[in-house]
Amino acid sequence: MAPGPSIAADDAVGPQVAMERPSREFSFQGTLRQGAGRGTLINSAFLIGISALGLVRGFVLAALVSRTDYGIWGVLVVSLGTLLTLKQVGINDKYIEQDEPDQEVAFQKAFTLDLLLTLSFVVAIGALLPLIAGLYDTAELILPGLVVLAAFVAVPFQAPLWVFYRRMDFMRQRLIQAIDPIVAFVVTVGLAIMGAGYWSFAIGFTSGIVCASIVAVICS
């Protein structure tokens, strides 16, 4: 009777396969020259397209939204944007740079840290919203501000894009990222046509981020 396979051999092979699989899923495969060249073309096309869409959006909304509504949205963006810049600690950059043996665990740690940090800032900024509204003497900032903060809660769920960037899978990364500005454009312009005023900005902004986050999770 032929001897059966060694259990020790199976145990030795199993962990090796398990360790190699995350490496293939989370890391770049191919030549660096091809990846960089392809990435340059894809990223350039993406940035040009998004810039053109933003330009068209600005002209269209300028004709549909009053200066007062534009002003409220501008104050909200400047106030929240300035505070949220403090949250940019480079977790995504550190994740892309690392070379841990278990890439799945590395991703889970980075995502968890980013989510907890985002939630802490959202809670803090939410508590400051009445103060910001008082400083500008504009109570209309509070409710749309809460809607925008809800969008920031969804941002960490776009973390799978880090994996695509690490793999230099720029096509998939940019396709998912393009969902945000396209959805925001459609929703914002549609609501502006309906006369929603500054709410068109807040809802359009949130819709774009939430849709992109949902697709990123599905594609992870």
Side-chain angles (χ1 to χ4, degrees):
M1 179 180 296
S6 169
I7 295 178
D10 287 346
D11 290 342
V13 173
Q16 182 178 1
V17 174
M19 295 300 289
E20 287 178 354
R21 184 178 302 169
S23 178
R24 289 194 298 268
E25 292 175 353
F26 287 82
S27 301
F28 170 66
Q29 302 293 321
T31 65
L32 184 59
R33 178 178 298 179
Q34 291 176 343
R38 178 181 174 86
T40 299
L41 295 175
I42 293 173
N43 292 330
S44 299
F46 173 80
L47 294 175
I48 292 173
I50 294 304
S51 298
L53 185 64
L55 182 64
V56 173
R57 177 178 178 271
F59 278 106
V60 171
L61 291 176
L64 298 173
V65 180
S66 68
R67 287 180 294 178
T68 300
D69 291 329
Y70 241 122
I72 292 174
W73 175 246
V75 169
L76 193 61
V77 168
V78 171
S79 301
L80 298 186
T82 301
L83 293 173
L84 283 171
T85 52
L86 300 175
K87 182 248 176 192
Q88 305 301 321
V89 295
I91 293 177
N92 57 333
D93 294 330
K94 293 298 182 182
Y95 166 74
I96 293 170
E97 294 171 0
Q98 55 77 35
D99 193 21
E100 295 292 329
D102 192 331
Q103 285 297 308
E104 186 172 355
V105 172
F107 172 79
Q108 291 169 350
K109 289 180 180 179
F111 166 73
T112 302
L113 287 173
D114 190 54
L115 179 61
L116 292 176
L117 189 61
T118 299
L119 290 176
S120 64
F121 269 84
V122 165
V123 171
I125 295 173
L128 290 175
L129 265 179
L131 176 61
I132 296 173
L135 290 174
Y136 286 99
D137 193 22
T138 309
E140 294 88 346
L141 292 174
I142 297 178
L143 289 180
L146 293 175
V147 173
V148 171
L149 287 178
F152 287 120
V153 174
V155 170
F157 292 93
Q158 296 184 19
L161 295 175
W162 306 345
V163 180
F164 298 138
Y165 186 86
R166 179 181 170 84
R167 289 166 47 183
M168 299 185 75
D169 189 353
F170 298 112
M171 178 62 76
R172 185 173 297 184
Q173 177 201 10
R174 293 308 193 181
L175 285 175
I176 297 174
Q177 286 183 320
I179 294 173
D180 180 353
I182 292 174
V183 171
F185 177 87
V186 173
V187 174
T188 303
V189 172
L191 290 175
I193 293 174
M194 297 170 60
Y198 57 80
W199 279 106
S200 60
F201 293 103
I203 297 175
F205 176 82
T206 303
S207 299
I209 291 179
V210 170
C211 288
S213 299
I214 291 173
V215 175
V217 171
I218 293 173
C219 292
S220 60

